[in-house]
Amino acid sequence: MRTLVKLRAERDFAYDNTYNHKLQGRLYNDLRDNGYGAVLDEGPKTFSYSNIFPPRDAEAGDSRSLIFAASDQDLVTSVAYGLCSEPEVNIGEMPLRAEEAFTLDPKVGESGSLTTGTPIVIRFGTETAAEYGIETEYDRTYWRPEHGMDLFFDSLYGNLQKKYERVYDESAPSPPYFSGYSFQKVVPKPVTYADGDVTYVGTEWEFDYEIRSAAHRRILNLALDAGLGELNGLGFGFINRTEDI
């Protein structure tokens, strides 16, 4: 389930590509205020959200949008209500005003493709690096193509299985979940925090699928709700069907 929130620029502004933590703060405050603080606890998040799009500089009065998705319909409704009832959405130096929200419920078809709306982040530690024969000087390393597709998909599927088990309280279907893929690019993504900037490294993809079972359909629909990879609560790993907005 999704809500598409329509926003209006309150004044001219330059698009801030480091917006993630500021937008996260607003969404998390709304969730806590509406009694959903528990979904922010440890464990894989079962919600995801887009960037503020289109991602370009704005003039006063320009329209922008945000999509929030979750496996829980009430959670989606709560976010829409929170944004529209307190419509000043000041994301750093991007002053916006929420004007209206629409419900969307995209589902996977019998076959098709999913694409990244925001980059997928996969990280691994030294133990995993050794298991896959990867030399790294860091305690936690961001996945890049040179680390191999096996590590990427093992991590991607494992993360999605944990989300599935949290939502459905049953074992997830066995991977693979995609019948093909197209890697597009590595995306270094800076995020501004109060004590400085952090650069996360994500990747953009298109994934093909062919539905094999009801459980396979559920887990791919969950990917549309909860996102793929890590840091979905920070706005990474948001997924669209190819034909979606």
Side-chain angles (χ1 to χ4, degrees):
M1 181 67 70
R2 300 181 167 202
T3 184
L4 170 64
V5 182
K6 303 299 290 186
L7 307 162
R8 185 184 72 240
E10 294 282 75
R11 61 169 171 79
D12 297 0
F13 63 75
Y15 191 83
D16 180 5
N17 191 44
T18 70
Y19 68 87
N20 296 62
H21 189 240
K22 301 180 184 73
L23 178 56
Q24 180 193 52
R26 171 57 199 267
L27 294 174
Y28 277 30
N29 285 339
D30 286 347
L31 289 171
R32 290 190 184 97
D33 289 346
N34 286 289
Y36 285 95
V39 305
L40 310 179
D41 293 342
E42 290 185 9
K45 300 297 184 289
T46 55
F47 62 86
S48 62
Y49 52 93
S50 71
N51 59 352
I52 296 169
F53 64 92
R56 58 173 181 259
D57 297 350
E59 296 181 354
D62 282 355
S63 295
R64 292 293 181 267
S65 298
L66 170 72
I67 297 175
F68 181 90
S71 58
D72 183 338
Q73 181 176 346
D74 291 339
L75 186 67
V76 172
T77 302
S78 175
V79 167
Y81 173 79
L83 289 170
C84 291
S85 62
E86 298 288 342
E88 290 188 7
V89 185
N90 296 315
I91 310 302
E93 297 302 315
M94 297 192 292
L96 297 153
R97 187 174 184 84
E99 296 193 304
E100 54 187 342
F102 305 91
T103 297
L104 306 170
D105 194 17
K107 301 293 185 185
V108 297
E110 294 304 314
S111 63
S113 58
L114 304 178
T115 59
T116 46
T118 60
I120 293 172
V121 171
I122 297 290
R123 299 173 295 180
F124 57 93
T126 52
E127 185 175 333
T128 299
E131 179 183 347
Y132 286 84
I134 297 167
E135 293 185 5
T136 178
E137 59 185 289
Y138 304 105
D139 291 336
R140 178 166 283 192
T141 303
Y142 291 98
W143 184 89
R144 294 174 175 83
E146 58 265 30
H147 299 135
M149 294 300 165
D150 286 347
L151 173 54
F152 177 83
F153 282 103
D154 288 348
S155 300
L156 190 80
Y157 290 153
N159 177 274
L160 187 54
Q161 287 174 311
K162 290 177 182 177
K163 293 170 182 170
Y164 183 95
E165 290 162 5
R166 183 172 186 179
V167 170
Y168 292 107
D169 195 25
E170 65 181 35
S171 297
S174 298
Y177 305 130
F178 301 119
S179 55
Y181 64 88
S182 173
F183 168 75
Q184 295 175 356
K185 61 181 177 180
V186 174
V187 181
K189 181 68 168 66
V191 175
T192 295
Y193 293 89
D195 56 354
D197 289 357
V198 173
T199 297
Y200 298 93
V201 179
T203 48
E204 295 183 351
W205 301 77
E206 181 170 334
F207 303 105
D208 301 323
Y209 67 85
E210 294 181 2
I211 296 299
R212 304 189 309 269
S213 66
H216 185 208
R217 185 185 302 277
R218 279 197 301 274
I219 202 166
L220 291 185
N221 281 325
L222 180 61
L224 286 172
D225 291 335
L228 291 174
E230 303 175 48
L231 301 178
N232 308 122
L234 193 56
F236 289 95
F238 180 76
I239 302 298
N240 286 312
R241 294 184 308 175
T242 300
E243 63 270 27
D244 279 353
I245 294 171

